[in-house]
């Protein structure tokens, strides 16, 4: 679990891209370019995860587990 949080990044990339596209306003060309770049980044991360996945291992891979609100026992787990 001491690895880069790829699943969190893969989740956040489209959210950030959508926010940037909204900020583009009425400039459709900029919004479309942001959407295309965001989609390509997400695709690149997905292809990396797919190539790095070990099909032989039965263990959980790319797992993320973090204490979010320890007082309530709430955890962030992907």
């Amino acid at each position: 679990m001491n690895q880069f949080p790829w699943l969190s990044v893969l989740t956040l990339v489209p959210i950030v891209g959508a926010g940037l596209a909204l900020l583009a306003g009425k400039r459709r060309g900029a919004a479309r370019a942001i959407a295309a770049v965001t989609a390509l980044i997400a695709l690149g991360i997905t292809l990396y995860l797919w190539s790095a996945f070990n099909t032989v291992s039965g263990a959980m891979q790319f797992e993320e587990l973090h204490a979010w609100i320890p007082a309530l026992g709430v955890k962030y787990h992907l």
Side-chain angles (χ1 to χ4, degrees):
M1 287 194 326
N2 294 330
Q3 60 185 1
F4 189 77
W6 285 112
L7 295 178
S8 292
V9 171
L10 185 59
T11 303
L12 290 175
V13 163
I15 295 170
V16 171
L20 292 174
L22 283 173
L23 290 176
K26 296 187 179 201
R27 296 172 291 187
R28 286 188 165 181
R32 287 180 180 171
I34 291 169
V37 168
T38 301
L40 288 175
I41 291 171
L43 177 64
I45 294 170
T46 302
L47 291 175
Y48 166 73
L49 290 173
W50 182 45
S51 68
F53 188 79
N54 184 1
T55 58
V56 178
S57 174
M60 296 295 290
Q61 299 175 48
F62 311 114
E63 182 179 24
E64 298 177 35
L65 178 60
H66 307 284
W68 187 16
I69 307 173
L72 299 177
V74 178
K75 298 176 183 174
Y76 174 76
H77 190 187
L78 291 175

